Amino acid sequence: MSDKPERFGKLEERLSVFKTYKLYVGGKFPRSESGRVYEVTDSKGTWLANAPQASRKDARDAVVAARKAFGAWSGATAYNRGQILYRIAEILEGRRDQFVREVAEAEGLSKSKAAAQVDAAIDRWVWYAGWTDKIAQVVGGGNPVAGPFFNLSTPEPTGVVAVLAPQDSSFLGLISVIAPVIATGNTAVVIAAERCPLPALSLGEVLATSDLPGGVVNVLSGRTAEIAAPLAAHQDVNAIDLAGADDVLAKELEVAAADNLKRVLRPQPVDYFAAPGIERLTAFLETKTVWHPTGSLGASGSSY
């Protein structure tokens, strides 16, 4: 017997349900404010989907969402942030097959190579989840001083970070630049790889169904240079990761970022399968040093 649906005595072919990809901003899935889309194709030029082409207005909206989310996210305990990052890894594991297919199509990889990249990306989430409550112990601590004082240095998140996702690693590279930013309490506005944005847009669906508060990560797709320019010059963006910029664009964005003294992480060759180290964790941390007196103070004789 045929397993195809039968209606009124006739066999009917099932119509495919095509996915509509959207931006991810403030925990919601808006279409681009401009209404524009652009075609995404596989490595052989075959059409895969229409991706939203974000505008400058979308970029500004994403910054507003990231700033709104920053206070609560940076104020959450490091342990809680670690739990949430681990929850994201759990959901990615459950949707592994989907991401293997999307990465294979986006980058022209075999299923086995795409699977290796997805597995490494999930493991990377878990790795950064484990660092959330440890990084302060590595880069902070008590400082020796000549005087009756405690001198303590502690790391704090920089703020809103614009992230240009790598163009040559649509998923593992993407995870490798997002996870350390939010693990340390920052919020992010991410520009997906222009040629292969679909894994990044699908990641937004994972983040929305995890415990990650809306606005902590915002995902935009479109023309990288068009979206990055207003972010680099935006007065409420505190730092920018140029991982996905070529040399010409990186120079232009670095000049624009200098107007309000943004922290800039310059692009550099990276093997995303290699152990990441803590460089990206510390790239968007500021060090706060506190002096506190010790010993007897005044007539009360209080000591600290």
Side-chain angles (χ1 to χ4, degrees):
M1 294 180 63
S2 172
D3 58 358
K4 294 181 179 179
E6 184 174 351
R7 296 180 183 176
F8 308 110
K10 295 182 179 180
L11 295 178
E12 292 188 358
E13 293 291 338
R14 181 178 179 275
L15 297 178
S16 299
V17 179
F18 290 102
K19 182 174 180 178
T20 301
Y21 288 89
K22 296 182 180 180
L23 307 176
Y24 181 58
V25 177
K28 299 179 180 179
F29 295 93
R31 300 177 188 271
S32 172
E33 171 272 338
S34 66
R36 298 177 299 172
V37 297
Y38 71 103
E39 290 189 355
V40 178
T41 61
D42 63 16
S43 59
K44 298 180 180 179
T46 303
W47 179 87
L48 294 175
N50 289 333
Q53 187 172 334
S55 66
R56 290 171 176 256
K57 174 65 163 54
D58 293 316
R60 293 194 297 270
D61 289 345
V63 173
V64 171
R67 176 57 63 191
K68 184 177 180 180
F70 176 71
W73 182 244
S74 61
T77 65
Y79 176 72
N80 180 239
R81 288 200 299 269
Q83 287 183 311
I84 292 174
L85 262 68
Y86 188 84
R87 174 62 178 160
I88 293 169
E90 289 180 342
I91 299 175
L92 285 173
E93 185 76 28
R95 297 179 63 165
R96 177 180 179 275
D97 291 346
Q98 172 194 347
F99 283 99
V100 168
R101 173 179 53 79
E102 289 187 340
V103 170
E105 292 175 343
E107 300 185 31
L109 301 176
S110 65
K111 184 176 180 180
S112 61
K113 289 184 177 180
Q117 186 177 145
V118 172
D119 289 343
I122 296 172
D123 293 346
R124 190 65 45 86
W125 269 117
V126 175
W127 193 84
Y128 279 116
W131 268 103
T132 56
D133 60 355
K134 300 174 182 65
I135 190 66
Q137 301 170 57
V138 174
V139 299
N143 308 310
V145 293
F149 301 98
F150 286 126
N151 183 265
L152 305 174
S153 294
T154 58
E156 293 187 341
T158 298
V160 176
V161 181
V163 179
L164 279 63
Q167 301 293 332
D168 57 349
S169 183
S170 65
F171 196 60
L172 176 55
L174 173 77
I175 299 303
S176 297
V177 296
I178 295 177
V181 169
I182 65 172
T184 48
N186 298 286
T187 55
V189 178
V190 181
I191 304 175
E194 183 173 331
R195 185 184 63 80
C196 43
L198 304 187
L201 296 175
S202 290
L203 177 64
E205 299 169 4
V206 171
L207 301 178
T209 52
S210 71
D211 298 320
L212 189 74
V216 173
V217 175
N218 305 274
V219 183
L220 306 175
S221 61
R223 308 307 179 194
T224 300
E226 179 182 350
I227 308 170
L231 290 177
H234 200 297
Q235 297 295 305
D236 207 22
V237 173
N238 305 109
I240 186 167
D241 184 345
L242 301 176
D246 59 30
D247 292 341
V248 174
L249 179 59
K251 184 176 181 179
E252 293 175 357
L253 296 178
E254 192 167 358
V255 170
D259 281 343
N260 66 337
L261 300 178
K262 284 183 177 61
R263 177 169 291 197
V264 177
L265 185 61
R266 296 178 176 86
Q268 50 192 320
V270 178
D271 176 8
Y272 289 108
F273 278 100
I278 64 170
E279 287 77 12
R280 286 189 175 274
L281 283 166
T282 59
F284 303 115
L285 286 174
E286 311 289 342
T287 300
K288 179 176 73 174
T289 300
V290 177
W291 293 74
H292 199 289
T294 63
S296 299
L297 293 177
S300 65
S302 300
S303 61
Y304 295 84

